Amino acid sequence: MNVALDHADANLLGRLVQVWNSRKARNLERTVRFDGEAALRDFGISLPPQMRNIGALLGWTAKGVRAVTDRSEFDGFVSPSGGEDAFGLDQIQFENRFAVEFGAAKVSSAIHGTSFLTVSEGDTQSGEPEIMMLARTAETSAAIWDPRRRALAGFLSVIDTNDQGQITRGIMWTPEKVLTFTRQQRGYKVEGRPNKIGRTSVAPLVHGFNLGRPLGTSRITGASMYFSDAALRSIVRAEVSSEFYSAPEYWLFGADVSQFAGGDRWNAIMGRIKALDVDPADPKSPQLHRFTGASPQPHTEQLRMWQSLFADDQDLEVQFADSSNPSSADAIFAAKESLITKTRDGNKMWGFGAVQAMQFSVMLRDGLTEVPSEMMRLSAQFTDPAIVSPTARADAYVKLSSVDPAFAASRVGRQYAGLTSEQITLLEAEQRRLASAQLTEALRTAGPNAPTEAGASAGEDELNQANILKAKADALGVLRRAGVEADEAANRVGLPGLKFIPGSPITIKQSDD
């Protein structure tokens, strides 16, 4: 419905627009650098006019960002009880393509320092999901942080702008309401609805959190930008130098200089044959001398220097700066250790934002104003960024399983062994299918009234009864390991009244009596 902005909302909107305008240029610059489209910054000294518009590009910035985000792999949410989808999050994730868009939001967070997940009610009549979760980049967003509440005091999403860069449509979230404003010929049309959960339903995905910058810092640092610019200039200078090195110069002594002078200074410099006047009284004829151009090796060494500085700033592997010589195992491990630490720090903050977005979604879906107590312990799970070889994982898995057999068949153990959540789910489903088939066959062949062979001796009858009892016991064990309550499982297999010794995991042991 149409509403009028009160003084507080108008003041908050003005602050958000100011934040967006002040950060717009820096965010755009980092986006351009990540895309590898940053223009060459020439000092106007060493490049000829013909090469100042050269389309030289460098992909170092994207490599520095991807070094962290590619190691961060989201593996799902873990509930306090350990149950699967205890809060109905699978449907929310599926309807909002969470697995795909969350990965893109992490990359945007590393580029600009933060990205956002907005949560709102969807228009189901137009085909939107009941809970709409959208990822927003810092380029099209502005946020104000409330340090006392440790939450967003307000958030602005810029939906559209005109040719003059003015906002023509946007959405503002506050703890009390959600306002949509559209630019018209005179002023703005504002529509609003109450915020049902009583808080700004926007979760920031922060990279590089610190107290001075609670909304994060960019992975694209000022130092890395300078190193990339300098390296790009070195590459272009090397290309100019190669023009001289690939074609040696020839000097002709005793010729008329006017026949060889270029139309401009650069053409004269680039001329392959240069003339030098001599004394006309000299009886010697003109002589041709060859001079080899300077080697491009200094430019190569300089480029390697910039590579080393960039790799040190971005915690990249040693091979990035020098791939000609293989590095030692300790050097490679040391370089990866710092990158692994940064990835784990990123996962912690990204996971916190993802959990917060899911909490907002459940609250909005269920009409709650507080986070459910069971959901306060919900956590986001990521694969271990310390990527090791499959052989090393398998060896560690075998050693831990020999010490703790329960570890081998647990989800934790299988994840440690390197299996993905999808693979573990399929394996558990296959195990349940096989256990169910074995149980059905055991009950079919060893029912409570299974007949013995006609004329069998008393010893054979006792043996048959023992086999029947063993089959029932095996079936009971399958049911108990599947989670069936003890008395119910005993009744199902035809052993009512069976007494169980308390203990977990389930074991067969003799009582103290």
Side-chain angles (χ1 to χ4, degrees):
M1 62 179 179
N2 294 342
V3 297
L5 286 179
D6 56 27
H7 178 72
D9 292 336
N11 182 54
L12 178 60
L13 179 59
R15 292 173 60 194
L16 288 169
V17 173
Q18 184 179 7
V19 170
W20 179 70
N21 283 322
S22 64
R23 299 293 304 180
K24 180 167 56 175
R26 286 187 229 175
N27 289 330
L28 180 60
E29 179 184 8
R30 281 170 168 78
T31 299
V32 171
R33 287 180 176 274
F34 176 79
D35 293 337
E37 298 176 356
L40 173 66
R41 299 190 176 186
D42 178 32
F43 294 150
I45 299 175
S46 59
L47 293 186
Q50 291 87 342
M51 300 189 68
R52 286 175 185 169
N53 294 326
I54 185 173
L57 303 175
L58 195 62
W60 288 3
T61 301
K63 185 176 181 64
V65 172
R66 291 287 187 183
V68 169
T69 58
D70 286 353
R71 283 181 175 269
S72 173
E73 186 175 349
F74 178 71
D75 203 33
F77 294 98
V78 179
S79 63
S81 62
E84 296 183 3
D85 196 22
F87 305 103
L89 302 182
D90 285 350
Q91 183 177 0
I92 297 176
Q93 295 183 69
F94 173 77
E95 292 177 342
N96 291 278
R97 299 180 63 207
F98 185 83
V100 176
E101 296 195 4
F102 180 67
K106 288 188 301 179
V107 176
S108 180
S109 171
I111 295 173
H112 302 116
T114 185
S115 60
F116 304 91
L117 294 175
T118 61
V119 179
S120 60
E121 292 180 305
D123 185 2
T124 54
Q125 294 182 352
S126 63
E128 294 178 353
E130 179 185 2
I131 301 300
M132 176 75 83
M133 184 184 299
L134 293 174
R136 315 274 185 175
T137 69
E139 286 182 276
T140 59
S141 307
I144 295 178
W145 180 256
D146 185 349
R148 294 182 62 86
R149 299 175 60 187
R150 296 182 178 89
L152 296 182
F155 177 80
L156 171 66
S157 175
V158 178
I159 306 300
D160 198 8
T161 59
N162 57 20
D163 295 337
Q164 290 74 37
Q166 299 172 328
I167 301 175
T168 57
R169 187 167 183 269
I171 305 175
M172 182 175 73
W173 277 262
T174 72
E176 297 81 19
K177 61 190 73 172
V178 179
L179 301 175
T180 302
F181 56 94
T182 306
R183 186 180 181 90
Q184 296 182 331
Q185 291 182 351
R186 293 182 179 181
Y188 285 88
K189 176 184 177 182
V190 181
E191 299 176 322
R193 61 181 184 273
N195 193 337
K196 297 181 180 179
I197 66 175
R199 62 193 71 190
T200 306
S201 57
V202 179
L205 303 179
V206 179
H207 172 271
F209 171 84
N210 60 66
L211 294 179
R213 294 187 176 181
L215 291 180
T217 57
S218 173
R219 172 87 174 147
I220 307 174
T221 63
S224 69
M225 289 190 288
Y226 175 79
F227 298 148
S228 298
D229 291 339
L232 192 58
R233 287 192 294 268
S234 296
I235 292 174
V236 176
R237 282 196 293 264
E239 190 165 349
V240 175
S241 176
S242 65
E243 296 296 328
F244 294 94
Y245 182 74
S246 59
E249 294 181 343
Y250 294 88
W251 285 78
L252 188 61
F253 292 85
D256 184 4
V257 176
S258 62
Q259 301 297 322
F260 296 92
D264 56 61
R265 186 178 66 173
W266 181 253
N267 287 337
I269 293 175
M270 289 297 294
R272 299 306 181 197
I273 299 179
K274 297 179 175 60
L276 185 65
D277 282 338
V278 297
D279 186 0
D282 190 346
K284 296 181 179 179
S285 60
Q287 298 179 1
L288 186 65
H289 296 271
R290 172 177 172 173
F291 294 88
T292 304
S295 171
Q297 184 64 27
H299 301 292
T300 304
E301 296 296 332
Q302 189 180 43
L303 181 60
R304 185 173 288 116
M305 176 190 71
W306 297 127
Q307 282 181 303
S308 299
L309 292 172
F310 183 87
D312 183 64
D313 179 78
Q314 298 289 292
D315 297 303
L316 300 180
E317 299 179 11
V318 182
Q319 291 95 325
F320 176 81
D322 186 7
S323 58
S324 59
N325 297 318
S327 303
S328 65
D330 292 338
I332 296 175
F333 177 79
K336 287 185 177 181
E337 186 68 16
S338 179
L339 192 61
I340 290 169
T341 301
K342 287 188 178 296
T343 305
R344 284 174 176 162
D345 292 341
N347 287 343
K348 185 184 301 182
M349 295 306 302
W350 291 329
F352 181 83
V355 168
Q356 192 176 45
M358 287 299 165
Q359 290 172 343
F360 291 155
S361 300
V362 172
M363 292 170 61
L364 193 60
R365 181 193 64 191
D366 299 343
L368 305 175
T369 56
E370 296 294 335
V371 180
S373 58
E374 299 87 354
M375 204 173 185
M376 290 182 180
R377 294 165 54 198
L378 183 73
S379 61
Q381 186 174 6
F382 294 81
T383 57
D384 187 2
I387 300 174
V388 297
S389 66
T391 303
R393 280 186 178 273
D395 183 60
Y397 173 74
V398 170
K399 291 179 179 179
L400 289 173
S401 300
S402 63
V403 176
D404 185 4
F407 175 80
S410 66
R411 290 184 68 92
V412 176
R414 288 165 176 170
Q415 288 173 346
Y416 190 86
L419 297 180
T420 64
S421 296
E422 292 80 3
Q423 291 172 330
I424 295 174
T425 300
L426 291 174
L427 178 60
E428 291 175 343
E430 181 68 14
Q431 288 178 328
R432 287 194 295 268
R433 187 187 67 80
L434 293 176
S436 177
Q438 292 174 356
L439 176 61
T440 302
E441 180 65 19
L443 293 176
R444 186 183 66 82
T445 59
N449 300 318
T452 59
E453 293 183 4
S457 64
E460 291 176 343
D461 184 65
E462 290 179 357
L463 180 60
N464 288 332
Q465 294 298 329
N467 289 332
I468 293 174
L469 181 61
K470 181 178 181 301
K472 292 182 178 182
D474 291 340
L476 175 63
V478 172
L479 291 176
R480 291 289 288 121
R481 286 190 292 273
V484 180
E485 193 269 338
D487 293 338
E488 175 67 17
N491 291 332
R492 288 281 183 179
V493 299
L495 297 174
L498 201 64
K499 294 183 178 180
F500 295 88
I501 301 173
S504 180
I506 301 168
T507 55
I508 299 175
K509 58 183 179 180
Q510 186 176 1
S511 65
D512 296 336
D513 297 337

